[in-house]
Amino acid sequence: MSVNSERQDILDPQGQAAPFGPLRVLLAEIDRAKASVLASALDGSEFDLVIDRAATGGDVLRALEINGYDCAIIDAALPAFDALGALMELRGRGIDTPIILLVGSANERHARLLLEAGAADCVSDGELAGNRLGLSLWKAVRAHRSLHQLAASQQTLSARLMHDDVTQLPNRALFLDRLEKAATLARREHAAMALLLLDFKDFNQINRTFGHAIGDRLLEVAAARLVSAIRESDTLARVGDNEFAILLPTGATPNGVATAASKLREVLRRAFTIGQYRLQVTPAIGAAICPLHATTSSELMRAAESALWEAKSEARGFVVCAGGGNDGNREKLKLAGQLRQAIDRSELRLHYQPKIDIGRARVCGAEALVRWHHPRHGLLSPDNFIPLAEQIGLIGDLTGWVLNVALQQVADWHRRGLDLSISVNLSPLSLHNRELALLIEALLEKWRVPPSLLVLEITESAIISHMMRASEILRRLHRLGVGISIDDFGTGYTSLAYLRKLPVSELKIDKSFVTNMCRANDDAVIVRTIIELARNLGLKTVAEGVEERETWQALSRLGCEIAQGYYMSHPLDADAFERWLAESPWSLAGRPLPMSADAALSIPVAELAPFAVGRA
Ligand code: C2E
Ligand code: MG
Ligand code: MG
């Protein structure tokens, strides 16, 4: 048995410390050589481990039966050990310790079989070095603990009365619990979900006239019809005397919600035959979408209640979030409804802002920045509609559109001998899109653009809040050969350890530090530190928000490679960008720079006076 001396917390995917405490691990490896590889893999895993050892298959089973281990790491080639049989045996005995199997050079099919039989992970010899084993251990323990927590919370919940006696649907308490979880998940995953409240306006009248027994029977039949109108993933509950609530965990766009509401109203349209009576009800529905109208479950409930109230008081069948008559919300909702068509009807445009290689004082690429030419509101900046596209599930389509147009443009430049790279911004939600790498690969192929000419910009905050996913998807994108830039760098708190591991090629210093760096010493210090950090990590630096010549010169002295900002050019539409390319002093044509104020730009970096700010 060995005990690591240093205690370290474990980073969860959000990058926060998740103190697991010491982990008890059963280790069974076949030979000394493997034992030493394993020991160094685990030593580097940043866990506080208490390790017991087992030598044979029989020892493993006995040890797992007697002791509660957090995880077992077992060499599948142990003497008298049949991995598949052992997994089944363990499950049969109700032992759910996560098992990581070391499978030598096992083929994929065999590994899949073991995973299907319940192994937490299969690690081949080739994967033993590096942090793969540590990651696998972390995942296995985390999944195991989550399962236990889930089981415990399920038990607590079922201890309470969770269902309504009349309709057998979840009751208010259970529904609120699910709503809370769904809202938390939506916030974490930047996804959308919706809450619909449905009320029968005339139910009290029915109760009074025909009695509660008939009223209850009506609710029962109505509930069955409502169940038939929702998807399996939706939750229907009875949350009040004559009030139902429906949770739509996906498809929560304004259009999707309207479709769901019309289905619900449709199934209630037919008269109800209860005993000898034929009864008709008039449903009203109010809906609210998270995060469009509210982000917490209680706010969402209030927003849906107020929409329901409006639907009832204005004799309308269905209202999406009245929002207390909030014009801003209504306007947002309208824009959200129009965005789909805007993409299809090419109302979106790309503007291009030049990126200048400071050393050569020549344009080396451009950043594609999307705008919406709205028929009524005119030119809308991305801040007006990108968050909306993210909220209503359209960001994937929008990103696809941007990538396609940007790559078509870069292909055109490339054909004409202009080797300009193009930078495209990715939403944090792209980190959830497993298809993105495939799409980019297909588009590079379609427009025959060398991958090295595409740079994907993703903000530092997005990477931090989705660290695990970010590293996975960035690796995939990196394998395509495209560049990866961390946008708005300096505004988040990227761990240096992670930064070194991420396959990024460029740090883009946030404009909030760059723009005033010649006036604010603190900003200058930050800019200089980032440039030095990038240099140490072998990354390029881009400074955005360069608005003045002094800033350009200061960046040049600091050794920043690329500058972008209003000083050189605002973002321009494709035609204006062409004119800029032809006329500007930074053009590729290598025209001489005017010897006016800009003459300093052509002075080699070494000849410039040392940059004094921030060194005190
Ligand atoms: P960003 O990627 O950091 O882009 C830089 C923003 O700074 C752009 O604003 C640009 O016009 C502005 N800018 C450039 N030079 C200067 C300067 O010298 N001074 C100042 N004060 N600002 C400057 P824009 O075009 O409004 O874009 C805002 C943000 O919207 C972008 O920030 C990016 O995060 C997002 N965005 C733009 N296009 C797309 C897109 O196609 N997809 C996604 N997901 N996001 C996009
Ligand atoms: Mg950007
Ligand atoms: Mg930026």
Side-chain angles (χ1 to χ4, degrees), residues 275-429:
Q276 73 266 42
Y277 306 111
R278 265 175 73 77
L279 304 173
Q280 200 83 43
V281 292
T282 320
I285 299 178
I289 299 174
C290 165
L292 200 55
H293 306 118
T295 47
T296 66
S297 60
S298 52
E299 284 168 8
L300 200 63
M301 202 59 168
R302 270 201 300 281
E305 274 164 1
S306 109
L308 177 63
W309 185 83
E310 189 173 318
K312 278 161 57 170
S313 58
E314 294 181 8
R316 289 155 66 188
F318 168 57
V319 169
V320 179
C321 188
N326 179 334
D327 287 346
N329 269 343
R330 293 230 173 96
E331 202 47 57
K332 256 168 82 178
L333 206 61
K334 252 199 210 154
L335 275 185
Q338 296 162 349
L339 192 51
R340 165 83 272 161
Q341 288 182 340
I343 300 175
D344 295 342
R345 288 185 194 156
S346 300
E347 283 171 17
L348 299 186
R349 304 281 154 73
L350 282 192
H351 283 198
Y352 301 91
Q353 187 176 32
K355 288 169 75 177
I356 316 292
D357 178 327
I358 299 181
R360 293 170 48 231
R362 292 280 168 268
V363 58
C364 58
E367 177 172 9
L369 294 157
V370 68
R371 272 88 182 98
W372 180 357
H373 278 247
H374 192 279
R376 204 155 63 79
H377 301 299
L379 198 67
L380 293 181
S381 82
D383 294 337
N384 292 115
F385 59 92
I386 293 279
L388 216 52
E390 288 171 343
Q391 286 168 12
I392 62 172
L394 273 183
I395 192 67
D397 291 349
L398 189 145
T399 307
W401 183 90
V402 170
L403 279 164
N404 187 40
V405 175
L407 286 174
Q408 182 178 14
Q409 180 63 71
V410 93
D412 184 43
W413 290 333
H414 194 52
R415 217 177 10 257
R416 289 156 43 203
L418 301 170
D419 261 350
L420 298 177
S421 67
I422 192 85
S423 300
V424 171
N425 292 283
L426 292 184
S427 150
L429 295 192

Side-chain angles (χ1 to χ4, degrees), residues 3-4 6-11 17-25 45-50 70-71 137-138 141-142 145:
V3 180
N4 271 8
E6 267 184 32
R7 153 95 226 255
Q8 296 224 7
D9 289 337
I10 301 152
L11 287 180
F20 275 2
L23 296 184
R24 294 204 62 204
V25 176
S45 72
E46 307 188 344
F47 291 96
D48 184 1
L49 298 178
V50 178
D70 291 295
C71 186
L137 181 61
W138 179 85
V141 174
R142 190 169 182 268
R145 295 206 174 169

Side-chain angles (χ1 to χ4, degrees), residues 18 56 73 94 99 120 122 209 253 277 354 393 459 466 525 530 550 553 565 608 614:
T56 68
I73 302 175
I99 309 287
C122 291
T209 314
T253 61
Y277 306 111
T459 61
H466 304 272
V525 172
I530 296 176
E550 289 68 32
Q553 289 175 324
L608 292 166

Side-chain angles (χ1 to χ4, degrees), residues 367 369 425 457 487-488 508 544:
E367 177 172 9
L369 294 157
N425 292 283
E457 292 190 5
D487 203 353
D488 302 347
K508 194 162 187 184
E544 64 175 21

Side-chain angles (χ1 to χ4, degrees), residues 408-467:
Q408 182 178 14
Q409 180 63 71
V410 93
D412 184 43
W413 290 333
H414 194 52
R415 217 177 10 257
R416 289 156 43 203
L418 301 170
D419 261 350
L420 298 177
S421 67
I422 192 85
S423 300
V424 171
N425 292 283
L426 292 184
S427 150
L429 295 192
S430 309
L431 298 176
H432 298 255
N433 183 354
R434 294 177 176 281
E435 309 296 313
L436 185 70
L438 290 177
L439 172 75
I440 291 176
E441 195 175 8
L443 287 174
L444 288 168
E445 178 91 21
K446 172 179 168 191
W447 296 112
R448 301 199 173 286
V449 171
S452 58
L453 291 185
L454 176 63
V455 179
L456 300 168
E457 292 190 5
I458 181 124
T459 61
E460 188 184 16
S461 55
I463 293 181
I464 293 168
S465 52
H466 304 272
M467 193 59 87

